[in-house]
Amino acid sequence: MSSQAELDNSELDRVIRSEYEAGFTTLVESDTLPPGLSEDVIRAISAKKGEPEWLLEWRLEAYRNWQTMQEPNWAHVEYPPVDLNAISYYSAPKSMEDRPQSLDEVDPELLETYKKLGIPLHEQEMLAGVAVDAVFDSVSVATTFKSKLAEAGVIFCSISEAVHEHPELVKKYLGSVVPKGDNYFAGLNSAVFTDGSFVYIPKGVRCPMELSTYFRINEANTGQFERTLIVADEGSYVSYLEGCTAPQRDENQLHAAVVELVALPGAEIKYSTVQNWYPGDEDGKGGIYNFVTKRGVAHDNAKISWTQVETGSAITWKYPSVVLRGDNSVGEFYSVALTRHAQQADTGTKMIHLGRNTKSTIVSKGISAGKSSNAYRGLVRMGPRAENARNFTQCDSLLLGDTCGAHTFPYIETKHPSATVEHEATTSKVSDDQLFLCRQRGIDPEKAISMIVNGFCKEVFKELPMEFAVEAGKLLEVSLEGAVG
Amino acid sequence: MLEIRDLHASVAGEPILKGLSLTVKPSEVHAIMGPNGSGKSTLANVLAGRDNYEITGGEALFEGKSLAELEPEERAQLGLFLAFQYPVEIPGVSNMEFLKAALEATRAAQGKEEWDSVTLLRKAREACKQVDLDPQFLKRGVNEGFSGGEKKRNEIMQMLLMEPKLALLDETDSGLDIDALQTVAKGVNSLRGPERGIVLVTHYQRLLDYIVPDHVHVLSGGRIVKSGGKELALELEQHGYGWLTGGQDGGNGKEDRTA
Ligand SMILES: Nc1ncnc2c1ncn2[C@@H]1O[C@H](COP(=O)(O)OP(=O)(O)OP(=O)(O)O)[C@@H](O)[C@H]1O
Ligand SMILES: [Mg+2]
């Protein structure tokens, strides 16, 4: 090689690099990244968030690994392929001017639903993203609670904040439960997640309040690739609430969140979700695809309990799971999934028993109406060390009408002879006799159906924190409107 | 208040009522007796508006309104109450919750004042006491795991709270022990009043010892074949239905003790 050629080459390098840097700078400076996914986009996200090198590397690794993966197709759902290159992976929060200036500018249908759910006016404004600059009650309430949490030593902040403030915790636990190569959607999330929540409960601390009740409105806009990490240190307790009953609309069709729970020895985490993403119109058009990976690891004597009420999304694909790693650990899953119109839900849980004397309980209630499809998919695995492990599964389906479907796919693997697995499944319809009894007492059919359905879900609702349970009941009622006939 | 003229009705396409006429005026208690399968429950269900029970001829007016044109809940809101022969269970829906929904709907429609939850609970407890049901039953699912007799008492408890204008009681006495029968009868009697009509379907004279009817009718083959005063029930007790029906229904009503 001549020196001239060498010069040319390094010149070329320089030019390429500068072009790259220019492009990269524009990426970082723009409010919204152009659609498409590449290493540059990931670098830009990381740079915008001022992330440390290790996290960028982590994201890139996740990305490279994800590129070798295939979108799964085993779930009982059907949808046209999602064009991942049409998605913009970062956009700054809307400025005040871009938002609706008052509730008058908000979709009346949405407001009607807020009203039915009994959501107070100022919360409606926040949910609808109205630009209001007054100081809300709830903001000051939130501040009071934050100081109370700080007193107890509880860390509760956004995951971006945690990356800066508590890097040792994030580094230790991020991806420790859901590895970045776990599955297609979790891999994608690991590469591009923008924000989410981080919780740490110190040893022996009982978190003084249910987390997120008072914050959930502020957190409503965490984007389509949300990442949540909750670590409960030894002997601690926390109850965490996610989502809200108010219908949430989003321009982003694909939502692929990851939630990781770590319950260290003797700790207990109770995680409750109400999910009401926009399900689309009667044909499911415009609805959200909700592909979530949720998993917890329970160490010795620890307990993890998932409770979920799922009424939204065009497609739900979600299996909150517990790895019962430690001896005497406990896993629970309580679920209500309601589908109507063209909604499709494939949801359930995985209970992976590794430790001795581990115990899991699964109660799943599926309600289908319209032409929807509702599948329960559950795996119970008793590992070779899982002496005296026990599982109880109860899986009930309720059908409203003749055009919907309910399916149950239980998978059981037992590698220890002393492990016991019990599975009960029922499918029922709201009977004409029940409906007639209600109507004969003056109750209109819609109210009657919602009452009967609520009764069907009681075992799950009683696991929800009180306030959430009431909201969930109302949510079912609103969701079932028009489901009769 | 109830005016039934030449009523024909079919169940799932099968004609069951074939020209039935009956008038109930406020304050009156009517007893309807008749062999198994003669159409007594059918009549009650037609009046209450159950699906598949279709009026094919004649008419049934309640408070001057044609029942055929009203939804079941509208009939209930007008003050028509049916105590079921076989009360159905609604798992997970507590009795209290159910009563609250029922009373909210009917009281509002009838322009009665709304009861707050404290009042409702107090009234519900009183009603339980009247039919000898432990108030704990208010917390249990509607009829969920109730014994046969408890279900029947639960129906009467609901009726006491709802204070209907017209109460149709379909064999509320069957399945009750002797003490319960008296308790229930007392409950029903407490509802008797100048504004209220009561129609009792029963197989047993015994109930009529406690709730003394103004009129007794015998239903057979989808029609009322004989009407009379309270003595008619005694006659039936002694002679059965054969002399009235010519044996066409076969049953004599005494087989149904465990219903
Ligand atoms: N869904 C149905 N399809 C066809 N026939 C029916 C249906 N329901 C009721 N019947 C018939 O209608 C007739 C009247 O029934 P109904 O229940 O009114 O009798 P009842 O007088 O109340 O008898 P019991 O004393 O046994 O309670 C019976 O022959 C019964 O078999
Ligand atoms: Mg009958």
Side-chain angles (χ1 to χ4, degrees):
Chain A
M1 237 180 250
S2 74
S3 65
Q4 184 58 42
E6 259 171 40
L7 185 71
D8 282 356
N9 261 354
S10 61
E11 175 70 5
L12 195 60
D13 263 8
R14 201 183 55 79
V15 173
I16 289 171
R17 183 172 297 268
S18 75
E19 238 177 42
Y20 164 81
E21 270 170 3
F24 185 71
T25 316
T26 344
L27 276 183
V28 176
E29 275 167 5
S30 66
D31 265 354
T32 301
L33 292 182
L37 191 50
S38 65
E39 293 209 1
D40 280 355
V41 164
I42 290 164
R43 284 177 204 281
I45 293 172
S46 193
K48 274 171 175 296
K49 304 177 75 67
E51 286 176 353
E53 189 61 25
W54 67 265
L55 190 50
L56 172 61
E57 278 313 313
W58 194 84
R59 286 177 182 276
L60 288 173
E61 247 174 73
Y63 175 65
R64 287 169 199 145
N65 184 49
W66 173 77
Q67 283 180 301
T68 68
M69 298 174 92
Q70 293 284 324
E71 192 172 342
N73 60 3
W74 41 262
H76 194 85
V77 295
E78 277 174 40
Y79 57 95
V82 184
D83 183 0
L84 294 174
N85 277 315
I87 295 174
S88 161
Y89 287 85
Y90 183 91
S91 79
K94 273 192 181 161
S95 71
M96 284 292 191
E97 301 93 78
D98 287 347
R99 303 208 222 159
Q101 299 300 304
S102 77
L103 280 178
D104 298 340
E105 293 174 30
V106 175
D107 178 3
E109 204 185 315
L110 199 62
L111 293 181
E112 188 55 32
T113 314
Y114 287 166
K115 228 179 278 159
K116 284 182 195 154
L117 287 167
I119 294 170
L121 212 61
H122 70 278
E123 283 192 28
Q124 293 187 19
E125 288 179 330
M126 284 189 261
L127 287 166
V130 172
V132 235
D133 33 27
V135 179
F136 304 118
D137 288 355
S138 55
V139 173
S140 51
V141 166
T143 318
T144 330
F145 282 109
K146 281 215 161 129
S147 72
K148 218 166 145 195
L149 287 175
E151 235 169 76
V154 171
I155 302 169
F156 179 36
C157 60
S158 74
I159 200 140
S160 322
E161 209 178 318
V163 166
H164 293 112
E165 305 292 320
H166 311 283
E168 65 308 329
L169 286 172
V170 178
K171 207 168 170 178
K172 184 165 175 192
Y173 291 109
L174 186 73
S176 71
V177 183
V178 180
K180 45 189 184 293
D182 187 79
N183 68 67
Y184 185 81
F185 294 110
L188 180 61
N189 175 292
S190 301
V192 302
F193 73 88
T194 37
D195 219 334
S197 306
F198 175 79
V199 176
Y200 173 78
I201 316 290
K203 265 185 202 168
V205 168
R206 197 181 163 85
C207 185
M209 75 200 62
E210 267 147 9
L211 288 187
S212 135
T213 315
Y214 301 96
F215 305 86
R216 61 173 194 258
I217 292 158
N218 309 341
E219 304 221 328
N221 238 335
T222 31
Q224 59 187 139
F225 298 102
E226 195 174 344
R227 186 99 197 177
T228 302
L229 174 60
I230 299 177
V231 181
D233 212 330
E234 290 177 30
S236 66
Y237 169 85
V238 63
S239 164
Y240 185 89
L241 314 178
E242 171 204 50
C244 87
T245 51
Q248 298 185 58
R249 281 179 195 241
D250 196 302
E251 293 132 35
N252 303 308
Q253 188 174 38
L254 175 69
H255 280 245
V258 170
V259 177
E260 297 180 279
L261 309 183
V262 180
L264 292 170
E268 180 176 346
I269 301 176
K270 194 171 162 56
Y271 192 104
S272 315
T273 308
V274 170
Q275 185 269 114
N276 190 18
W277 289 110
Y278 182 55
D281 64 11
E282 278 189 33
D283 300 315
K285 263 199 213 101
I288 282 170
Y289 297 175
N290 194 25
F291 299 147
V292 190
T293 306
K294 291 183 163 178
R295 194 177 305 151
V297 171
H299 292 266
D300 286 352
N301 304 305
K303 176 174 172 183
I304 289 179
S305 180
W306 298 102
T307 307
Q308 60 173 26
V309 177
E310 303 277 321
T311 62
S313 299
I315 299 176
T316 302
W317 180 100
K318 159 173 189 193
Y319 316 90
S321 308
V322 183
V323 180
L324 297 130
R325 177 171 297 160
D327 292 349
N328 310 309
S329 56
V330 176
E332 292 175 340
F333 174 74
Y334 298 95
S335 167
V336 165
L338 180 144
T339 53
R340 66 200 151 121
H341 298 325
Q343 277 179 283
Q344 306 175 60
D346 194 292
T347 178
T349 184
K350 289 186 236 169
M351 293 290 174
I352 313 293
H353 292 251
L354 301 179
R356 292 182 202 92
N357 301 314
T358 45
K359 208 176 109 189
S360 64
T361 306
I362 298 170
V363 177
S364 159
K365 305 274 181 178
I367 303 138
S368 350
K371 39 189 173 43
S372 68
S373 152
N374 201 328
Y376 166 81
R377 188 182 302 277
L379 167 70
V380 177
R381 179 183 294 153
M382 302 297 190
R385 233 174 42 82
E387 197 181 316
N388 288 322
R390 276 171 299 155
N391 162 266
F392 172 75
T393 300
Q394 184 191 330
C395 193
D396 300 322
S397 310
L398 186 68
L399 304 176
L400 305 173
D402 306 319
T403 51
C404 50
H407 313 271
T408 308
F409 305 101
Y411 306 89
I412 297 166
E413 297 169 13
T414 308
K415 298 213 175 82
H416 197 289
S418 70
T420 57
V421 178
E422 271 179 81
H423 182 94
E424 282 176 18
T426 65
T427 300
S428 52
K429 283 191 164 196
V430 172
S431 82
D432 291 345
D433 286 351
Q434 291 173 331
L435 201 53
F436 182 57
L437 169 59
C438 295
R439 297 180 75 181
Q440 209 305 301
R441 298 298 183 255
I443 303 166
D444 72 61
E446 278 190 354
K447 168 85 186 159
I449 295 245
S450 97
M451 209 165 63
I452 294 167
V453 170
N454 264 299
F456 173 77
C457 301
K458 188 148 284 179
E459 283 158 281
V460 173
F461 284 177
K462 75 177 190 333
E463 296 298 324
L464 288 170
M466 182 65 177
E467 185 200 294
F468 234 31
V470 174
E471 287 186 23
K474 265 196 239 157
L475 173 60
L476 279 198
E477 189 170 326
V478 173
S479 306
L480 282 165
E481 273 179 10
V484 207
Chain B
M1 56 169 39
L2 180 66
E3 186 80 52
I4 304 172
R5 283 190 221 111
D6 193 28
L7 188 69
H8 291 251
S10 54
V11 184
E14 185 78 20
I16 307 289
L17 299 184
K18 300 162 185 169
L20 185 147
S21 299
L22 175 70
T23 302
V24 178
K25 299 208 183 74
S27 86
E28 290 180 349
V29 174
H30 290 243
I32 296 187
M33 307 182 80
N36 293 139
S38 57
K40 304 181 296 296
S41 294
T42 303
L43 172 64
N45 283 314
V46 166
L47 295 178
R50 189 191 279 261
D51 257 5
N52 282 325
Y53 286 68
E54 205 192 339
I55 296 180
T56 51
E59 61 178 357
L61 303 178
F62 176 52
E63 301 277 271
K65 295 196 174 76
S66 168
L67 285 177
E69 278 145 41
L70 300 173
E71 295 293 338
E73 61 272 21
E74 293 172 321
R75 306 180 196 202
Q77 288 161 8
L78 278 180
L80 186 147
F81 181 96
L82 169 61
F84 289 86
Q85 181 173 3
Y86 304 111
V88 63
E89 303 192 1
I90 311 182
V93 176
S94 79
N95 241 341
M96 198 61 209
E97 207 179 320
F98 180 73
L99 283 168
K100 185 166 182 287
L103 286 161
E104 267 171 16
T106 49
R107 292 186 70 85
Q110 293 163 7
K112 296 181 187 162
E113 51 158 350
E114 196 184 314
W115 287 343
D116 58 36
S117 11
V118 178
T119 311
L120 176 63
L121 187 62
R122 184 169 49 77
K123 299 262 186 194
R125 286 209 177 114
E126 280 167 17
C128 281
K129 215 160 161 197
Q130 257 184 290
V131 295
D132 225 2
L133 264 188
D134 192 304
Q136 287 300 321
F137 278 80
L138 293 171
K139 292 188 196 153
R140 285 172 60 176
V142 177
N143 296 320
E144 197 179 349
F146 290 19
S147 78
E150 286 163 354
K151 285 183 183 170
K152 296 300 181 77
R153 278 184 277 169
N154 199 38
E155 294 288 287
I156 299 305
M157 188 267 283
Q158 292 169 27
M159 180 182 81
L160 291 173
L161 277 173
M162 297 189 65
E163 304 172 319
K165 283 200 192 115
L166 177 68
L168 310 170
L169 279 64
D170 193 357
E171 295 199 28
T172 300
D173 53 334
S174 48
L176 290 180
D177 64 46
I178 298 163
D179 292 340
L181 183 71
Q182 291 199 35
T183 316
V184 162
K186 234 192 276 168
V188 175
N189 281 328
S190 77
L191 266 190
R192 286 182 85 152
E195 302 295 319
R196 196 165 280 132
I198 297 175
V199 176
L200 301 170
V201 171
T202 181
H203 287 295
Y204 308 113
Q205 156 63 27
R206 209 176 49 208
L207 177 69
L208 305 181
D209 286 341
Y210 300 116
I211 310 171
V212 181
D214 302 297
H215 302 274
V216 174
H217 311 274
V218 177
L219 189 58
S220 174
R223 237 179 306 219
I224 287 176
V225 292
K226 182 145 184 82
S227 298
K230 60 176 190 282
E231 344 59 65
L232 178 56
L234 280 169
E235 252 176 283
L236 293 168
E237 179 97 331
Q238 281 167 13
H239 306 295
Y241 295 114
W243 59 286
L244 288 171
T245 64
Q248 61 168 327
D249 282 305
N252 66 5
K254 287 190 179 167
E255 300 163 353
D256 198 30
R257 291 200 179 266
T258 52

